[in-house]
Amino acid sequence: MGEVLFCSNNHCRARLISGTVVVTFCTHVFCSTCSVVMQDSMECLACMSDLRGHWRVSRTNLQPDDSFRSMVLAGLSPTVIIDIASRAVRFHQHLLTQEVNYLRARVERLVSKVVAVQRFYEDVIERMKVELAEVEGRLELSRRQQQLGGMSRLVG
């Protein structure tokens, strides 16, 4: 099995493994659920490009049957077939690059959150250390006062 693609709608991100998907001229791919959402506005959910017009949106079956595979390029010259295949491979590579960029951005956001949480808890720990030192100081003072009180009873 090849690389798994994901729906280009960042609110969906469904794994695209089988079934029908929608591919846009602006190099995005959407699951069938998101494609229904796009039908009314005819705007790309990823980049807001206008999808009205000829060959701006195409439905594609991710697991075509053998008869489709046998006939889809039949009758075309090898030059056209290679051109179509190379464009399809570039499209797929572009989708993978988009996925890598999405994941990098997500990791950066998560790392930023982790750093912020780490700083917060480091500050909390420092405040707790200061508070603990103050409590230990008061406890020590209280012990000394008790010892002095006990000594004064012995002396008196």
Side-chain angles (χ1 to χ4, degrees):
M1 188 172 146
E3 297 88 359
V4 175
L5 297 177
F6 293 88
C7 180
S8 293
N9 181 354
N10 285 336
H11 299 292
C12 174
R13 307 289 302 147
R15 291 172 59 99
L16 305 175
I17 298 169
S18 63
T20 302
V21 297
V22 169
V23 178
T24 66
F25 81 99
C26 49
T27 65
H28 295 106
V29 61
F30 297 96
C31 66
S32 57
T33 303
C34 290
S35 69
V36 171
V37 172
M38 285 191 315
Q39 280 180 334
D40 290 335
S41 68
M42 288 307 289
E43 278 186 350
C44 178
L45 294 175
C47 69
M48 307 312 281
S49 291
D50 184 3
L51 300 177
R52 289 179 286 252
H54 191 62
W55 286 110
R56 293 174 81 72
V57 177
S58 176
R59 290 198 181 283
T60 302
N61 185 341
L62 293 176
Q63 297 292 329
D65 61 19
D66 284 338
S67 61
F68 176 84
R69 292 172 191 241
S70 296
M71 296 302 294
V72 69
L73 299 175
L76 299 176
S77 72
T79 304
V80 172
I81 293 170
I82 290 172
D83 180 51
I84 292 169
S86 66
R87 289 174 191 227
V89 168
R90 280 194 308 271
F91 182 86
H92 193 74
Q93 287 173 329
H94 178 72
L95 289 176
L96 293 177
T97 300
Q98 285 179 334
E99 182 63 20
V100 167
N101 291 339
Y102 171 81
L103 292 173
R104 278 188 182 138
R106 190 167 177 201
V107 165
E108 286 174 13
R109 285 191 305 273
L110 290 173
V111 166
S112 175
K113 287 180 181 181
V114 167
V115 167
V117 168
Q118 181 181 5
R119 284 185 192 138
F120 172 79
Y121 282 111
E122 285 173 351
D123 290 345
V124 168
I125 289 169
E126 286 304 313
R127 286 190 302 245
M128 291 293 119
K129 285 179 180 178
V130 168
E131 190 175 325
L132 180 60
E134 290 172 359
V135 168
E136 286 174 340
R138 288 194 303 264
L139 181 61
E140 183 61 30
L141 181 62
S142 176
R143 283 186 190 145
R144 286 184 186 165
Q145 288 174 345
Q146 279 183 337
Q147 285 175 348
L148 289 176
M151 289 179 143
S152 64
R153 275 186 256 143
L154 287 175
V155 173

